[in-house]
Amino acid sequence: MTEGPDLAGRLALFQAVADSMPWAMFWKDRDSRYLGGNQAMAKLCGLAAPQDLVGLADTDLWWRDSAAEYRADDVDVIESGEQRLYVRLAFPDEKGGTLWIDRHRIPLRDASGAIVGVIGWFEDVTAKKLAEDAEAQAQLEATLEMATPLLPVAEGVLVMPLIGKLDAQRAAQMTDTLLSGVTQHRAHTAILDVTGVRRMDTVAIEALARAAAGVRLLGAAAVVTGVGPTVAQAIVRLGVDFGQVTVLGDLKAGVAHALASAPGRRA
């Protein structure tokens, strides 16, 4: 009957397993000094081999500016005895750029169960993060599009009801949707109804004026409806020039005006 591998053999086996992992792995003592790591970790640190990590601290490595933060994270795991998994954070690369990683830390325990340090590993999830951000942006744009619908209510007449807050991003989307719609539907009148916009700041009012100006440049008439006292006072106070835009009290009046002004109906 043969005996199991000796301590050196077991350590060599453990190192081989760690080196086969695709993630950068490390293990530290209670003072946050490295007891070891795998090949991926050594490469990240700019070291020739994992054993070169032994005895170093984060202050000795190229991310030394973040060493205090990492030390605090180690202490948290060591003192609480709890795992800290899937912590997503930005991580600097050697060239001054930014990576996104999912970081994991668990307590390192000895044979008796006492916590003697921390084990950590992290995954480069930059591509995943960028894909998630792109998807979130697409969802936001879809939401904004739904929030600023363009409704054909009669031949050549479009209505865009605005509800809620009109910020710079939504204003830009509103203008794009409106001008594209005027061209696509060959509209002669575009009505911007602001009944649902209770407060308008300078950005919103100027955006509204620019959208109306764009409609006129396409050869269509711009009508703004639903301007209440608060919005009217803001327009006057800010001195925004709406030029030849027709301003009416409500959407019904705006539609009636558009129909009466339609080509072929004018006196």
Side-chain angles (χ1 to χ4, degrees):
M1 183 174 179
T2 59
E3 295 182 356
D6 59 15
L7 178 59
R10 292 199 298 271
L11 289 175
L13 177 61
F14 171 77
Q15 186 68 55
V17 170
D19 288 342
S20 69
M21 295 297 176
W23 316 297
M25 299 179 62
F26 60 87
W27 37 101
K28 299 178 179 178
D29 62 20
R30 293 183 66 93
D31 294 323
S32 286
R33 290 200 168 272
Y34 286 92
L35 297 170
N38 66 353
Q39 287 284 359
M41 184 66 183
K43 181 179 179 180
L44 180 67
C45 298
L47 301 174
Q51 55 265 33
D52 294 335
L53 266 172
V54 178
L56 298 181
D58 288 312
T59 51
D60 300 315
L61 301 171
W62 57 262
W63 53 76
R64 60 183 56 85
D65 290 345
S66 300
E69 175 187 348
Y70 299 156
R71 167 61 177 160
D73 292 340
D74 292 341
V75 171
D76 171 53
V77 171
I78 291 169
E79 293 186 349
S80 69
E82 297 179 357
Q83 301 177 350
R84 298 288 185 259
L85 305 178
Y86 295 100
V87 177
R88 183 162 296 183
L89 71 160
F91 187 78
D93 65 20
E94 290 183 276
K95 298 179 181 179
T98 300
L99 303 174
W100 286 93
I101 63 171
D102 277 352
R103 189 183 64 190
H104 314 273
R105 273 179 165 81
I106 62 175
L108 173 63
R109 300 178 185 272
D110 64 13
S112 70
I115 297 175
V116 295
V118 62
I119 301 173
W121 68 100
F122 49 88
E123 308 167 59
D124 184 343
V125 294
T126 304
K128 181 179 180 181
K129 175 69 163 56
L130 294 177
E132 290 174 349
D133 288 349
E135 182 180 358
Q137 181 62 31
Q139 291 176 347
L140 175 60
E141 291 175 357
T143 300
L144 289 173
E145 185 173 354
M146 292 176 62
T148 51
L150 190 61
L151 309 175
V153 296
E155 185 176 356
V157 180
L158 301 176
V159 173
M160 176 174 280
L162 300 173
I163 300 173
K165 182 180 180 181
L166 188 61
D167 57 16
Q169 183 175 15
R170 189 178 176 204
Q173 189 273 335
M174 169 198 74
T175 303
D176 290 343
T177 300
L178 181 64
L179 300 185
S180 296
V182 168
T183 301
Q184 178 184 350
H185 294 277
R186 298 181 180 179
H188 59 77
T189 305
I191 302 172
L192 289 160
D193 183 62
V194 297
T195 303
V197 181
R198 299 304 179 191
R199 297 183 63 183
M200 298 184 71
D201 59 12
T202 305
V203 171
I205 293 173
E206 290 180 344
L208 196 63
R210 284 195 298 270
V215 169
R216 296 199 307 277
L217 287 174
L218 293 176
V223 178
V224 176
T225 63
V227 175
T230 302
V231 175
Q233 290 172 10
I235 292 173
V236 172
R237 183 178 67 254
L238 295 171
V240 177
D241 183 11
F242 274 76
Q244 301 176 9
V245 176
T246 300
V247 180
L248 298 171
D250 56 37
L251 181 57
K252 181 178 179 180
V255 173
H257 171 81
L259 295 177
S261 304
R265 290 197 173 189
R266 295 171 182 166

